[in-house]
Amino acid sequence: MTSQHSQKPHHGHHDSHQQGHQFSGHSSHQHDDESGLAEVLDLDALLLRDHLQEIFEWTAAHQPNPATILDLGAGTGTGTLGLTRTFPAAQVTAVDQSEFMLQRLAAMMENQRLSARVSTLQADLDTGWPQLSGIDLAWAASSMHHMGDPAHIFDQIARTLTPEGLLVVVEMDTLPRYLPDDLGFGTPGLEQRCHNAVAAAGWNSHPDWATAIRDAGMVIAGQRTFVYATDDNRDLIARNAQAFLSRMRTGLEDTLSQEDLATLDQLLDPDGPQSLGRRTDLTMRGSRTAWAARPGH
Ligand SMILES: C[S@@+](CC[C@H](N)C(=O)[O-])C[C@H]1O[C@@H](n2cnc3c(N)ncnc32)[C@H](O)[C@@H]1O
């Protein structure tokens, strides 16, 4: 595992997603926030293995044998790991602005004995683009919506890919849901109200990236929405719900009604009679969209 540092400031950070920061890893309690996000990402990877595998296989159908892969906004390494396994001959460079995430990713790769095939690169893509070229596959999962200037990033990606290279962008269409509408206490519709509130605050908001990708001179090779719904592993779903709804609780402290906050607190109290861990009706459901594109040159 190698680690490089690349910082070449050349344009400002257009902070169009300020309101989403409590969910995206930039709050004033950055470390707590990053470790909370890391926990959610790792639990997602465990629970949604089949769902994510479908997206990796769809990627392989477009780009069967990439030698060099870039994982942009790699986080804890869900994409890096899946890509390394899907493409056993590839070398993967995992890029993230967060040293915390990259350290976690590096430790996971070490555990999986994949370090020789993965390098990490710390870079804030909003302030500098790494000196890379000849990339066969650029992967950006749940990261493009964090970028201040996505048009600029797509432009850089197009220049970094080989002429036969492929960009795959993945975003969550819907944040995951876990709860039934009627919990048996509190006012029904709590989860929907939480989702409405975070949507209004701009969490995870992203456009149909096809337009921006085309504007960067690339050609869309495919676009597909992948839906998931699982109730297979209730313990893991409860842990995932606990991690995710805790982040929502923090982000919505000033937005939700006192009654809804109290209901959430009851769900999130691990020792309480209404705890998530005691429920037998949790499921995890949501969807992701993936865009595949080739450079136009
Ligand atoms: C929601 S996580 C997604 C992680 C991973 N791709 C996945 O699918 O599990 C978004 C990641 O993008 C990183 N990120 C956000 N803005 C970035 C930027 N400007 N430059 C580099 N990384 C960035 C964050 O640090 C975080 O690790």
Side-chain angles (χ1 to χ4, degrees):
M1 175 79 56
T2 56
S3 183
Q4 309 163 31
H5 293 260
S6 163
Q7 298 297 333
K8 296 183 283 125
H10 66 93
H11 71 95
H13 184 167
H14 303 256
D15 216 348
S16 59
H17 299 284
Q18 190 79 40
Q19 291 166 305
H21 279 182
Q22 272 154 316
F23 185 62
S24 62
H26 299 257
S27 77
S28 53
H29 306 290
Q30 177 120 7
H31 183 78
D32 287 355
D33 197 51
E34 284 198 321
S35 67
L37 174 60
E39 189 189 1
V40 168
L41 294 175
D42 284 350
L43 285 166
D44 275 6
L46 279 175
L47 256 172
L48 303 179
R49 198 175 298 216
D50 293 349
H51 165 66
L52 297 170
Q53 191 54 38
E54 246 191 302
I55 306 178
F56 294 131
E57 279 163 20
W58 181 81
T59 301
H62 285 91
Q63 191 73 328
N65 199 16
T68 49
I69 300 178
L70 206 50
D71 184 359
L72 298 166
T76 55
T78 303
T80 302
L81 180 62
L83 294 164
T84 312
R85 287 184 172 150
T86 306
F87 303 108
Q91 287 288 329
V92 183
T93 303
V95 182
D96 205 287
Q97 66 186 1
S98 161
E99 188 65 47
F100 174 85
M101 292 290 180
L102 290 177
Q103 276 173 10
R104 209 163 151 141
L105 182 150
M108 199 246 292
M109 293 304 154
E110 191 80 46
N111 264 336
Q112 301 287 331
R113 300 178 186 278
L114 287 167
S115 296
R117 294 183 44 218
V118 175
S119 58
T120 60
L121 176 57
Q122 189 188 13
D124 179 346
L125 297 173
D126 279 330
T127 58
W129 187 258
Q131 306 260 15
L132 294 162
S133 59
I135 296 295
D136 297 318
L137 174 62
W139 169 271
S142 299
S143 54
M144 276 312 298
H145 71 268
H146 290 283
M147 303 299 162
D149 187 354
H152 176 74
I153 304 284
F154 284 132
D155 207 46
Q156 295 293 346
I157 291 172
R159 291 164 197 267
T160 304
L161 289 171
T162 57
E164 302 75 30
L166 189 80
L167 162 68
V168 173
V169 177
V170 182
E171 294 280 9
M172 283 191 272
D173 294 312
T174 52
L175 294 172
R177 289 170 191 254
Y178 307 90
L179 304 175
D181 185 62
D182 188 352
L183 294 163
F185 68 106
T187 304
L190 171 70
E191 194 168 46
Q192 185 59 51
R193 288 192 294 285
C194 290
H195 281 256
N196 293 347
V198 296
W203 284 24
N204 194 51
S205 104
H206 60 85
D208 178 341
W209 286 121
T211 306
I213 290 170
R214 284 196 193 97
D215 287 350
M218 286 188 270
V219 178
I220 298 287
Q223 177 171 342
R224 190 166 136 193
T225 297
F226 300 82
V227 177
Y228 64 87
T230 177
D231 58 4
D232 274 355
N233 186 335
R234 294 212 187 263
D235 284 349
L236 210 48
I237 292 176
R239 278 174 58 199
N240 195 306
Q242 181 85 23
F244 187 76
L245 293 172
S246 297
R247 290 174 66 70
M248 275 204 163
R249 167 76 176 80
T250 306
L252 297 178
E253 175 92 45
D254 301 327
T255 314
L256 286 182
S257 70
Q258 287 306 312
E259 192 214 342
D260 280 347
L261 288 173
T263 306
L264 264 180
D265 285 341
Q266 284 181 272
L267 288 167
L268 291 170
D269 176 0
D271 304 320
Q274 306 288 4
S275 74
L276 288 165
R278 288 177 196 262
R279 298 195 73 94
T280 56
D281 56 1
L282 299 182
T283 61
M284 186 177 177
R285 51 209 189 272
S287 62
R288 282 174 170 73
T289 285
W291 295 259
R294 297 196 182 282
H297 49 79

